DNA sequence: CTGAAAGCGCTTACAG
DNA sequence: CTGAAAGCGCTTACAG
């Protein structure tokens, strides 16, 4: 494989000059630069990544750290996130290293072996060990999720508070006084996942303010059949005139469940949910929904991380997106 | 950050010895090895990845190359694949580099910069430029999908031929003489994606053998509303007694579509599909389906790639999985 | 059984 | 404006 010496020889300059041209150093004259670029082109030269990383002490790659474990369903969405972040990162000249299991351990290893310049933590929970690791070792890190405290790390997520208020206000205007709320599983709550906790707190507070009665349902288990849970909720709280679903598997199966039982939405029951815009389309979720834009979230995460790498002492960023409530007619 | 010299000093040996211990070289005595390991532990040493890669000329990372472009829906599944492969690779001591857009170009760059030891190509199409690149540059590569010709590259996929036959035989036994077949979009076919082409050919051949009439429908567009397509198919071919859906978005929305129209499955219409087992559960796909195990596919891909890296001259592997047909009662 | 030394392919002060 | 040289942190024949 052709290396920098080959290029230097072909261009009749030193290795240093080649290196300077490659990094667009302004001290090099146009002429010299052009000679070098020609040689690069003709020889098909590409910088050796390991050598550059070793020498320059930066890898131009970001690590995406998955949470310790999660159910099958969560993984599907998670995958989409990873994919989108990979795309955004690529556009910014960064590669993306996927850090699968073991959360904090794998993350520490990737960092101490200098395999990445920084991390994006997926689905952070309160007091997440990965956050503590990042803080302790002063690692550029952006957090996905809404932990109670991010300990100074940059955060990006959707704004649960606004989402919850918007949902409740909409229901209040439609005069619903009794609703049922289908949440993530108890397992998720036990793991203190920020998105589950925050949304729950916010929506309950908002409902209280409007004096709306809320029947709360949280499946015992991640793998519980979401269709059954919806049916049970319908039976148990038959006087509720609206249902808020904040649970992705349940949202996905809800349309077929209602259709099967013969519940007409929204005539018989107003249904509201929070769901990624990108999937709303292909999965035909026909509810009034707050439509999360996961591409925008991904892009922001990458940008925040790039800024953080460039300046470790910049003030902490906390970007919460206020996604729109879309009401299907 | 602590490096190999620090460890050598602390253990009272040379750098070489530390390196040998780390690679479990049998020439080092137990005693020395233990001393070194102790120092490693106490100092919290981790090998610098770039240095090792530069010196040993291997990166212990695999690149996962996404196809040039694909629709939103495809991406969701794609993400799951990436995720699962990352997990499998991690278990085998490999990291996973996600190579987003630009297909062959990004792949060439990752290779010439020596960022990875090999590639897994997602969703390969006939004559895929990424395959040619891999062959031309003799890059260890495993191909996901069923191209007409893999040019000697290792292949892993499900066995479309067997799937198609199994589906048709099942329909034949149930005495269906006229069926409708909903396929991937014309865009997908135009891009010559192996899975779409192979399945289509195989199922038509099998149907011909059993003298079953097939009405074929392929949406013009990836983003066409799959629910409408199903409804149209139902209207256009009302005498068909079975429907085979080989199109993931359509499969996902099919249950709610049938429920809405009042078509009872399987009483009014036998519906068959091919769908990842892992998503069948969470998405409540209630059809007779060939259940692809994407975790197994991912694992096999990683294993094949590891073998290929270890021995470039080994005979080509072509692993096709025969996944079971599961009939929901 | 262990160590001194060369080399992997870059970047970057520093000197001129 | 350009080049000689040190150095990044490892691995690996080779010598002893």
């Amino acid at each position: 494989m052709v290396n920098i010496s080959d290029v230097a020889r072909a261009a009749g300059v030193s290795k240093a000059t080649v290196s300077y041209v490659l990094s667009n150093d302004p001290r090099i004259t146009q002429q010299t630069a052009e000679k070098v670029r020609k040689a690069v082109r003709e020889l098909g030269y590409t910088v050796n990544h390991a050598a550059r990383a070793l020498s320059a002490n930066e890898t131009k790659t970001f690590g995406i750290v998955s949470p310790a474990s999660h159910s099958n369903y969560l993984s599907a969405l998670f995958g989409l996130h990873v994919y989108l972040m990979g795309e955004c990162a690529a556009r910014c000249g960064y590669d993306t290293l996927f850090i699968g299991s073991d959360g904090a351990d794998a993350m520490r290893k990737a960092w101490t072996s200098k395999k990445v310049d920084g991390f994006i933590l997926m689905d952070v929970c309160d007091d997440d060990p990965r956050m503590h690791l990042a803080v302790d070792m002063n690692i550029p890190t952006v957090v996905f999720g809404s932990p109670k405290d991010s300990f100074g790390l940059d955060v990006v997520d959707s704004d649960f508070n606004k989402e919850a208020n918007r949902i409740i206000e909409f229901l209040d205007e439609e005069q619903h006084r009794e609703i049922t709320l289908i949440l993530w599983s108890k397992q998720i709550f036990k793991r203190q996942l920020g998105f589950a906790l925050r949304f729950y707190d916010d929506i309950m507070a908002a409902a209280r303010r409007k004096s709306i009665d809320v029947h709360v349902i949280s499946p015992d288990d991640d793998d519980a059949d979401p269709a059954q849970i919806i049916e049970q909720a319908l039976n148990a709280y038959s006087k509720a005139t609206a249902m808020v679903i904040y649970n992705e598997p349940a949202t996905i199966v809800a349309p077929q469940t209602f259709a099967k039982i013969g519940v007409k939405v929204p005539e018989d029951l107003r249904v509201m949910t929070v769901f990624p815009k990108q999937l709303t389309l292909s999965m035909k979720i026909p509810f009034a929904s707050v439509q999360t834009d996961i591409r925008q979230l991904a892009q922001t995460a990458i940008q925040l991380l790039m800024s953080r790498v460039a300046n470790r002492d910049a003030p902490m960023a906390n970007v919460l997106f206020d996604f729109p409530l879309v009401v299907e007619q």
Side-chain angles (χ1 to χ4, degrees), chain A:
Chain A
M1 202 119 288
V2 22
N3 64 22
I4 198 174
S5 303
D6 299 328
V7 176
R9 201 174 316 119
V13 299
S14 73
K15 294 191 300 175
T17 302
V18 175
S19 181
Y20 287 134
V21 171
L22 259 32
S23 59
N24 290 314
D25 192 302
R27 293 174 300 180
I28 306 294
T29 43
Q30 281 300 322
Q31 289 185 9
T32 316
E34 201 32 67
K35 264 195 311 190
V36 171
R37 273 192 266 272
K38 182 154 165 281
V40 166
R41 241 178 289 124
E42 289 176 356
L43 298 177
Y45 170 70
T46 316
V47 179
N48 179 306
H49 173 258
R52 164 172 284 176
L54 178 59
S55 171
N57 202 22
E58 68 168 7
T59 62
K60 289 285 183 189
T61 112
F62 289 145
I64 311 236
V65 192
S66 88
S69 78
H70 46 219
S71 75
N72 274 330
Y73 181 70
L74 252 182
S75 315
L77 246 206
F78 173 82
L80 232 194
H81 268 104
V82 171
Y83 173 63
L84 291 171
M85 291 204 290
E87 276 201 340
C88 296
R91 237 174 281 122
C92 301
Y94 275 81
D95 282 318
T96 271
L97 193 72
F98 174 73
I99 304 201
S101 30
D102 311 327
D105 282 343
M107 180 178 160
R108 163 181 280 116
K109 189 168 166 248
W111 180 249
T112 53
S113 68
K114 300 213 168 171
K115 235 188 152 170
V116 302
D117 296 337
F119 293 99
I120 290 179
L121 308 187
M122 305 297 298
D123 293 330
V124 143
C125 62
D126 289 348
D127 263 315
D128 197 302
R130 297 171 296 167
M131 288 199 289
H132 287 123
L133 178 64
V135 172
D136 292 347
M137 304 189 70
N138 187 28
I139 309 174
T141 300
V142 172
V143 151
F144 239 117
S146 295
K148 208 164 36 192
D149 187 345
S150 80
F151 308 101
L153 300 176
D154 299 323
V155 173
V156 55
D157 206 343
S158 48
D159 190 328
F160 294 115
N161 194 276
K162 291 207 175 115
E163 283 178 3
N165 276 303
R166 185 162 296 146
I167 287 172
I168 290 295
E169 266 157 34
F170 180 85
L171 292 174
D172 185 53
E173 272 165 30
E174 279 198 343
Q175 319 259 4
H176 300 280
R177 307 285 19 121
E178 183 176 345
I179 70 174
T180 126
L181 171 62
I182 299 199
L183 294 173
W184 285 101
S185 72
K186 298 207 171 66
Q187 288 174 18
I188 300 273
F189 279 92
K190 226 165 277 155
R191 278 168 48 209
Q192 313 251 53
L193 260 63
F195 58 82
L197 294 169
R198 250 38 86 201
F199 184 84
Y200 173 61
D201 291 345
D202 290 339
I203 205 151
M204 294 308 282
R208 218 171 298 123
R209 241 174 281 128
K210 298 287 188 183
S211 307
I212 293 178
D213 271 0
V214 183
H215 302 291
V216 178
I217 293 180
S218 165
D220 290 326
D221 200 292
D222 270 348
D223 299 317
D225 177 354
Q228 267 188 31
I229 288 172
I230 292 175
E231 289 194 45
Q232 285 164 8
L234 250 22
N235 290 331
Y237 309 109
S238 55
K239 290 201 312 208
T241 55
M243 179 180 281
V244 175
I245 308 182
Y246 187 69
N247 170 319
E248 271 146 4
T251 303
I252 291 173
V253 303
Q256 56 182 285
T257 306
F258 291 132
K260 205 180 71 188
I261 312 180
V263 171
K264 288 217 168 45
V265 178
E267 296 84 342
D268 302 342
L269 184 75
R270 169 57 80 184
V271 181
M272 303 192 72
T273 190
V274 177
F275 207 72
K277 172 175 119 185
Q278 283 84 356
L279 297 177
T280 298
L281 303 170
S282 61
M283 291 187 181
K284 300 272 303 169
I285 304 295
F287 308 137
S289 58
V290 174
Q291 299 199 344
T292 309
D293 183 342
I294 53 184
R295 169 164 265 134
Q296 191 171 14
L297 289 170
Q299 194 164 311
T300 306
I302 295 293
Q303 278 162 357
L304 286 182
L305 188 48
M306 287 183 54
S307 311
R308 178 55 59 200
V309 167
N311 178 7
R312 298 218 188 178
D313 302 320
M316 159 190 166
N318 186 358
V319 181
L320 298 183
F321 284 101
D322 188 12
F323 293 115
L325 173 59
V326 178
V327 181
E328 295 286 330
Q329 294 313 334

